[in-house]
Amino acid sequence: MSAGPTLLTNFVEAARHTRLYTGGKVEVSGATEDAFLVCPCGPDLNVIELTTGKLLLTVSSEGDDLTAFALRPTGRHIITAGRSRQIRSWSLDSAAKNCECLRVWKAHKMPVMDLAYDPTGTLAASASADGTAMVFDVGRGATTHVFRGHEGVVHLVVFHPV
């Protein structure tokens, strides 16, 4: 007669993961070797390595509830917007596991609902609850265009592919 299955009674923890994602937009970097994804987690953004699922770094909301973000096509910069209507440009260094805020500017009269980079990564667009959409030169933090005339909230912005 064969013996029944062996029951394991001792376990060793191999890894522990914390909360990584709390819902909303997710963006994936285009680089294949060190690909990562950016997603909201509570008040902050998490940068997670795709191959291992490990948390690389956290982009802090700096006390301002984030309402939108966009990952630059090169994957090394991100822009965020918060309830204060401030837009922040961040440099991401996933190898060194840190991020640095490069520039902060205020854009809209009401919260930003969405952000998007153009394919070149030099311009960004924002959609707002104030019924406007704006385009910015991210390097200078300067507004290049303001689109008015919407009768309600602008929920989404996207650049046409080149």
Side-chain angles (χ1 to χ4, degrees), residues 110-113 127-132 150-156:
M110 293 182 73
V112 175
M113 306 303 290
S128 174
D130 65 11
T132 64
H150 296 85
E151 294 181 9
V153 175
V154 180
H155 291 280
L156 183 66

Side-chain angles (χ1 to χ4, degrees), residues 140-161:
R140 295 183 307 136
T143 305
T144 62
H145 297 79
V146 178
F147 299 99
R148 294 181 177 87
H150 296 85
E151 294 181 9
V153 175
V154 180
H155 291 280
L156 183 66
V157 288
V158 65
F159 282 92
H160 188 278

Side-chain angles (χ1 to χ4, degrees), residues 20-142:
L20 296 175
Y21 174 68
T22 55
K25 178 179 180 178
V26 174
E27 290 206 14
V28 178
S29 72
T32 55
E33 293 175 6
D34 54 349
F36 59 87
L37 64 87
V38 180
C39 61
C41 185
D44 304 322
L45 292 176
N46 281 341
V47 179
I48 302 166
E49 187 177 29
L50 281 179
T51 56
T52 64
K54 291 185 179 180
L55 179 65
L56 294 174
L57 61 100
T58 299
V59 179
S60 172
S61 65
E62 298 189 354
D64 186 15
D65 291 338
L66 294 179
T67 59
F69 75 92
L71 180 65
R72 189 174 182 179
T74 61
R76 298 295 171 232
H77 291 87
I78 192 168
I79 52 173
T80 62
R83 295 227 181 269
S84 68
R85 304 178 326 267
Q86 288 186 336
I87 297 177
R88 289 181 171 86
S89 172
W90 301 84
S91 171
L92 300 179
D93 187 351
S94 56
K97 298 186 178 185
N98 68 8
C99 59
E100 178 186 359
C101 184
L102 302 174
R103 184 175 307 281
V104 180
W105 67 94
K106 197 168 251 188
H108 292 275
K109 295 177 183 173
M110 293 182 73
V112 175
M113 306 303 290
D114 190 34
L115 292 166
Y117 269 103
D118 78 316
T120 67
T122 57
L123 300 175
S126 61
S128 174
D130 65 11
T132 64
M134 297 176 114
V135 177
F136 306 96
D137 178 331
V138 178
R140 295 183 307 136

